[in-house]
Amino acid sequence: MTGGARPVVLAAPSGTGKTTIAHRLVEEGDDFIFSVSATTRPARAGETDGVDYEFVSRETFEALVAQGAMAEWAEVHGQYYGTPRRNLEAAARSGRHAVLDIDVQGAAQIRETVPEAVRIFILPPSGREMVRRIGLRGTEQRAEIARRLRSALRELGRAEEFHHVVVNDDLDRAVARVRTLVQDSGGMLRPEDLDERVRTLKDEIRDILSEDYADTAR
Ligand code: 5GP
């Protein structure tokens, strides 16, 4: 990719509010543009094709991958998700930062395929708050919440791979921080107590899983 503003990758476990942060960046000005991912998962109530995701069949998704049309792709919770390269090209042409709201596996691929991208990991303030934010969506069942918490345990261990780590304890502050990081990039910003924070979060999630979700299938 040549010219244009650098893309920003936001990755985080479910329930951290990263999608909200991504949408706020885009709504607050015209220097960010949301990268609409392709996915094989069915649309949820309130989602619009071409706005939230491009909803495609498995056959179409596999064909796009085979054509090299994806900058990254991954299987998340049993469904395919990917970033069409043309999103990055369109953002670069318009001089805007493409905002990629993707999972940790996809972010690792972007490190190779789009090395100029700024990669930011978002942390939730606590495990209970994560469950609350996942639960708020209403569409997920208990087994699904447990599955996402188990994925979170794996994903949290990968915060180190990112340029920056931002704690989403206050939405306005988190959005402002991400904006500043993308605009002045350089250096590395992480909470001073990152290791301790991640350890505490994982302990809390393990406790929640064993106290409230022990009956759900692994
Ligand atoms: P959801 O189904 O809840 O919208 O998203 C599930 C997970 O897939 C989230 O972590 C979301 O960020 C991630 N995701 C969404 N789009 C993409 C994408 O294009 N690539 C990858 N690797 N992950 C994605």
Side-chain angles (χ1 to χ4, degrees):
M1 203 176 69
T2 52
R6 299 185 313 159
V8 52
V9 173
L10 299 180
S14 286
T16 43
K18 82 177 152 158
T19 303
T20 311
I21 294 176
H23 286 289
R24 280 278 299 270
L25 287 170
V26 172
E27 283 157 15
E28 281 173 7
D30 54 8
D31 45 349
F32 290 86
I33 179 167
F34 189 69
S35 162
V36 178
S37 297
T39 184
T40 57
R41 91 148 157 74
R44 295 189 188 124
E47 286 181 334
T48 307
D49 190 23
V51 176
D52 299 284
Y53 284 103
E54 227 179 285
F55 296 101
V56 300
S57 66
R58 277 185 106 81
E59 292 69 29
T60 302
F61 195 99
E62 283 164 4
L64 289 168
V65 171
Q67 288 159 21
M70 295 296 188
E72 62 73 34
W73 67 276
E75 193 168 342
V76 185
H77 311 129
Q79 301 286 351
Y80 292 142
Y81 294 82
T83 302
R85 281 185 196 281
R86 64 175 147 70
N87 293 3
L88 303 177
E89 291 156 6
R93 271 199 305 276
S94 67
R96 287 182 287 180
H97 304 281
V99 181
L100 279 61
D101 167 1
I102 65 178
D103 89 313
V104 174
Q105 310 169 70
Q109 294 170 48
I110 291 289
R111 185 180 190 163
E112 310 296 327
T113 57
V114 192
E116 69 275 23
V118 183
R119 288 173 294 107
I120 304 180
F121 193 86
I122 313 289
L123 279 180
S126 73
R128 283 282 165 209
E129 180 58 20
M130 251 177 103
V131 174
R132 198 182 68 77
R133 290 180 190 170
I134 295 173
L136 264 183
R137 295 176 190 173
T139 47
E140 267 92 14
Q141 307 298 319
R142 286 181 71 249
E144 180 62 23
I145 294 175
R147 188 152 71 130
R148 286 175 184 230
L149 290 176
R150 291 190 188 104
S151 301
L153 286 176
R154 283 194 302 277
E155 291 160 347
L156 284 169
R158 300 185 64 175
E160 291 289 341
E161 297 172 22
F162 289 74
H163 293 118
H164 311 290
V165 179
V166 169
V167 180
N168 185 16
D169 45 4
D170 175 274
L171 182 62
D172 287 336
R173 218 164 37 202
V175 171
R177 225 173 262 157
V178 167
R179 179 179 286 282
T180 310
L181 287 171
V182 176
Q183 283 160 350
D184 345 313
S185 204
M188 255 181 12
L189 179 123
R190 297 138 186 248
E192 267 173 37
D193 57 347
L194 178 61
D195 291 349
E196 175 63 24
R197 223 176 230 284
V198 167
R199 233 186 343 261
T200 308
L201 264 171
K202 283 175 148 181
D203 287 346
E204 198 191 342
I205 293 168
R206 279 192 204 99
D207 287 348
I208 293 170
L209 277 167
S210 65
E211 283 163 24
D212 301 348
Y213 297 94
D215 60 312
T216 59
R218 282 199 149 264

